[in-house]
Amino acid sequence: MTSEQVLAALDQALATDNLSLAEALAQEILSIDPENGLACAVMAHIAGLIGMGEASERWLAMAGPSALNAIPAPANEQVCRLLEGCGPAADEERFLIIRAWGYGFWADTMHVLGGLMLAELTGRIPCVLWGKNSLFLPEGEENAFPLFFNGIGSEFLSLLKVTPADRIFPSKWGGKDIGGDAIDPTCAPHQGGEGKLGAIWLLNRPERVIVSDFFIGVADLVPWIPAGHRWDGESLDGIVSGLMADFGPNWRIRDAVTAAVEELSGRKTIAVHVRGSDKGVEVSQLDELNTHYPAIVEQAVDHGYAVWLMTDTEQVVEAFRTRFGEAIHCLDALRTSTDTGVHYVAAPKDRLRVGEEVIADVLIGASCDRFVGNGASAPSCMVDFLMAGDDTRKHLFLPNQFRRRLVSLYRD
């Protein structure tokens, strides 16, 4: 959007009490213009509404004392009710249950990272529960996450599932199966519901148990890091890498990574992520973008590189192997030949395998000397975060979508 369109959208968001969108747009403005008075005023306004006085004062000092006069107070009944419930929690163990967002593997993992960051900023114990709405939950299981990584807070889940309804936020989960299907996922507070609850709605709640079921990114929370915190001044890459440090993958994943690294050992390596299938719905010019990969691979092969090919599409593997032969290395993975993502059509018995292959692909890609990918796709974004070194080692045809706010999530 142009700057004029962003400002118009911000005005509309405030007028309709769409606070999540207003906050996301304000952050977007501040990422370009860190001293923008209007954006600082909006952040001060929202911080004040949710009861975070110190954060509000910090942004108000940048905006000017009269800046809040032009911002309307919320009038929507549901928004006001939720805001009235904000406040500090009691001095007891408090928990954050991080549900699956319900999309691709690394998109759900980025949501977990945002949840872990939120848990630390709010002094809560994180518990990751990828239940029935996870695309990677095998039949007969209740929680997919510890099947792939070290479990996070799994030991508390049986207790938390019987938490009294009045001690859970949002209230829609009171008395419900927290590992069950999604509830009210799209009806936002300004529309009368408890859906689309971004980070601002979870930052200052008194309930003992908070349930995060809508995407929260690490980038969403960076402006809310208090002064003096260990993340104050840390780069986004540093925060993501730090949060990922405890994600120990299972032994099947480790063995797959080890085998691939040994296969590539002794050669210069480049990882190439070519996304197909359902990504064409999100990226209108995906086919055109994907035409740029062969020339890069050809140049790499001519310079003696082995190519680690990451793709969800059978036709891509066939085309690259036909053209580049033994220079192409890849997992013997489940892939699709249609425009439907393999994670959407995998049989229940294959869901674990699909997730393990996606994890291994990213970890192998991050271990290569160079990387080329698509920043509109989560596996490329994760390689971008996890690959050490500067940007001369990696190139994304589109910017890493998780380095900024996903503003479109909050639009009506």
Side-chain angles (χ1 to χ4, degrees):
M1 294 189 292
T2 65
S3 57
E4 291 78 12
Q5 289 172 323
V6 172
L7 291 173
L10 180 56
D11 286 342
Q12 177 65 16
L14 291 170
T16 57
D17 293 336
N18 188 346
L19 299 184
S20 291
L21 179 58
E23 189 251 356
L25 289 167
Q27 284 198 31
E28 189 75 355
I29 294 170
L30 290 172
S31 70
I32 300 169
D33 179 10
E35 298 183 359
N36 184 278
L38 174 60
C40 289
V42 171
M43 294 298 292
H45 172 68
I46 292 173
L49 289 175
I50 62 176
M52 298 190 67
E54 290 185 10
S56 181
E57 291 175 7
R58 171 163 54 91
W59 275 305
L60 192 58
M62 299 173 66
S66 63
L68 298 185
N69 296 338
I71 300 178
N76 180 280
E77 182 178 343
Q78 171 70 339
V79 170
C80 291
R81 186 183 71 80
L82 292 177
L83 291 174
E84 288 169 0
C86 290
D91 186 17
E92 61 178 350
E93 280 190 327
R94 293 167 287 145
F95 300 87
L96 173 69
I97 298 178
I98 307 167
R99 279 174 47 91
W101 188 31
Y103 291 90
F105 191 93
W106 286 108
D108 266 5
T109 304
M110 283 301 303
H111 171 58
V112 171
L113 296 180
L116 295 179
M117 187 174 180
L118 177 68
E120 173 158 339
L121 293 178
T122 57
R124 294 181 177 272
I125 297 171
C127 305
V128 182
L129 176 57
W130 283 6
K132 292 180 181 178
N133 75 319
S134 170
L135 297 174
F136 304 92
L137 181 71
E139 201 166 27
E141 299 287 346
E142 293 186 351
N143 187 3
F145 188 82
L147 303 179
F148 300 105
F149 300 113
N150 295 331
I152 298 177
S154 301
E155 67 273 23
F156 297 108
L157 288 173
S158 59
L159 170 66
L160 298 182
K161 287 179 180 180
V162 295
T163 299
D166 62 351
R167 307 205 73 192
I168 297 177
F169 179 83
S171 62
K172 64 183 181 181
W173 289 110
K176 301 295 192 302
D177 177 9
I178 295 178
D181 295 327
I183 299 175
D184 183 28
T186 61
C187 188
H190 68 286
Q191 297 171 328
E194 289 183 329
K196 296 190 176 184
L197 292 184
I200 60 169
W201 293 106
L202 310 182
L203 279 165
N204 189 32
R205 295 296 311 188
E207 293 84 359
R208 191 182 191 203
V209 177
I210 302 297
V211 180
S212 173
D213 59 5
F214 189 72
F215 182 79
I216 294 174
V218 174
D220 303 9
L221 288 162
V222 169
W224 297 94
I225 297 173
H229 189 276
R230 68 186 181 101
W231 289 327
D232 185 19
E234 178 63 270
S235 68
L236 189 64
D237 296 73
I239 296 174
V240 170
S241 295
L243 291 170
M244 282 292 296
D246 294 330
F247 278 51
N250 70 37
W251 283 109
R252 285 188 300 274
I253 298 169
R254 297 185 195 190
D255 289 345
V257 173
T258 299
V261 171
E262 289 178 352
E263 179 182 329
L264 299 171
S265 179
R267 303 179 63 180
K268 296 181 293 184
T269 54
I270 181 171
V272 179
H273 182 215
V274 185
R275 185 66 198 280
S277 67
D278 59 311
K279 185 54 64 173
V281 176
E282 301 174 27
V283 181
S284 60
Q285 295 178 316
L286 182 66
D287 289 342
E288 180 183 345
L289 183 153
N290 286 348
T291 64
H292 295 286
Y293 285 101
I296 294 173
V297 172
E298 183 171 8
Q299 184 180 34
V301 171
D302 287 345
H303 285 79
Y305 279 80
V307 180
W308 183 257
L309 180 62
M310 305 164 55
T311 185
D312 57 343
T313 307
E314 292 176 358
Q315 295 92 321
V316 171
V317 175
E318 294 171 2
F320 276 67
R321 279 180 168 164
T322 298
R323 180 166 176 178
F324 302 108
E326 294 182 356
I328 300 299
H329 302 258
C330 61
L331 290 174
D332 180 18
L334 290 174
R335 296 187 173 88
T336 181
S337 58
T338 72
D339 58 0
T340 302
V342 65
H343 50 295
Y344 288 110
V345 298
K349 66 181 179 64
D350 291 326
R351 291 173 183 166
L352 181 62
R353 176 183 171 183
V354 171
E356 290 177 343
E357 289 170 349
V358 173
I359 298 169
D361 238 356
V362 164
L363 297 181
I364 297 164
S367 74
C368 290
D369 298 312
R370 295 184 180 277
F371 174 68
V372 178
N374 179 349
S377 184
S380 282
C381 297
M382 289 308 302
V383 174
D384 180 42
F385 280 125
L386 297 178
M387 178 177 274
D390 59 32
D391 290 343
T392 61
R393 293 186 59 196
K394 49 197 176 183
H395 173 74
L396 297 178
F397 285 117
L398 295 173
N400 184 330
Q401 61 183 336
F402 296 121
R403 292 188 179 279
R404 300 175 69 176
R405 292 299 304 269
L406 299 181
V407 175
S408 61
L409 294 179
Y410 306 105
R411 292 182 184 141
D412 296 328

